[in-house]
Amino acid sequence: MTKDFKPYYAVIFTSTQNKNIKGYDEMASKMEDLAKTQKGYLGMDSARNDVGITVSYWESLEAIKNWKQHTDHMLAQQKGRENWYSWYNVRICKVEREYEFNR
Amino acid sequence: MTKDFKPYYAVIFTSTQNKNIKGYDEMASKMEDLAKTQKGYLGMDSARNDVGITVSYWESLEAIKNWKQHTDHMLAQQKGRENWYSWYNVRICKVEREYEFNR
């Protein structure tokens, strides 16, 4: 943690999936590649067991809004609701502090 | 998303583990049970593949600080650094907006 820490934003996406998720992996990979090319994108962490958690990091709320409204991403979101997700939750968060441990 | 949404806080804990994590599962379960009894605790999501992501939700920064400094939790953190984690990152976030999809 440094004194000149500059706040940024995190989108916490938690979800549960249906049993049949045909086409999901391909789309998820495509969307991750596309997200990386967006203005203000900072990074992403993802893991799934019973619940899936994807956290993406962004420079600003505007960058998050632009990504949410990206045409290809909107189609992916629609497919997600129709085919893959039984439930999801999206939290828009301001990262206020951060610290790290390295062995 | 409702007009009377009340901001709360999320702690995003991302980590990578060592190969030998003897004792970890027991401690993680113990800490989850203990967290649930803390004042201001709202919930938790957790998943692990290559990277582990645990997000815990809290009513206030004070609740997060109290939990960080809880004696049993401090011992667990120390054990984590000594034995289980090769790296971790902690982000303290303010949840500003939230929306949900239910099939």
Side-chain angles (χ1 to χ4, degrees):
Chain A
M1 201 165 14
T2 58
K3 278 183 182 173
D4 61 351
F5 178 78
K6 194 178 163 225
Y8 59 96
Y9 291 85
V11 180
I12 305 172
F13 178 81
T14 46
S15 65
T16 54
Q17 294 186 330
N18 301 322
K19 278 179 187 167
N20 182 351
I21 52 162
K22 197 186 166 195
Y24 169 78
D25 285 347
E26 196 187 343
M27 179 64 90
S29 166
K30 206 171 140 185
M31 283 305 113
E32 193 176 336
D33 288 347
L34 186 61
K36 284 175 185 164
T37 69
Q38 302 305 300
K39 193 165 181 285
Y41 173 87
L42 296 173
M44 189 181 290
D45 290 309
S46 210
R48 176 174 300 279
N49 303 133
D50 295 333
V51 68
I53 309 175
T54 295
V55 190
S56 57
Y57 307 101
W58 302 87
E59 280 177 7
S60 66
L61 289 174
E62 194 192 355
I64 292 170
K65 190 180 168 189
N66 288 342
W67 172 234
K68 190 188 177 190
Q69 296 178 346
H70 187 292
T71 310
D72 292 354
H73 187 208
M74 284 188 80
L75 281 170
Q77 290 169 55
Q78 192 187 329
K79 279 204 160 191
R81 284 188 293 270
E82 286 170 3
N83 301 317
W84 301 315
Y85 296 115
S86 50
W87 166 86
Y88 68 65
N89 181 291
V90 179
R91 289 179 176 92
I92 315 292
C93 311
K94 186 178 187 182
V95 182
E96 299 190 340
R97 284 191 295 132
E98 178 169 9
Y99 57 92
E100 196 170 69
F101 162 74
N102 260 296
R103 178 166 295 275
Chain B
M1 202 167 11
T2 58
K3 279 183 183 174
D4 61 351
F5 178 77
K6 194 178 163 225
Y8 59 96
Y9 290 84
V11 180
I12 304 172
F13 178 81
T14 46
S15 66
T16 53
Q17 295 187 329
N18 301 322
K19 278 179 188 169
N20 182 351
I21 54 161
K22 197 185 166 196
Y24 169 78
D25 286 346
E26 196 188 341
M27 179 65 90
S29 165
K30 207 171 138 184
M31 285 304 114
E32 193 177 334
D33 289 347
L34 187 60
K36 283 176 185 164
T37 69
Q38 301 305 298
K39 194 166 180 285
Y41 173 87
L42 297 173
M44 188 181 292
D45 290 308
S46 208
R48 176 175 300 279
N49 303 134
D50 294 333
V51 67
I53 308 175
T54 295
V55 190
S56 57
Y57 307 101
W58 302 87
E59 280 177 6
S60 65
L61 289 174
E62 195 192 354
I64 292 169
K65 191 180 168 191
N66 288 342
W67 172 235
K68 190 189 177 190
Q69 296 177 348
H70 186 292
T71 310
D72 292 353
H73 188 208
M74 285 187 79
L75 281 170
Q77 291 169 55
Q78 192 188 330
K79 280 202 160 193
R81 284 187 294 270
E82 286 170 5
N83 301 317
W84 301 315
Y85 296 115
S86 49
W87 165 86
Y88 67 65
N89 181 291
V90 179
R91 291 177 175 92
I92 315 291
C93 310
K94 186 177 186 182
V95 182
E96 299 190 339
R97 285 191 294 131
E98 178 169 8
Y99 57 92
E100 196 169 69
F101 161 75
N102 260 297
R103 179 166 296 275

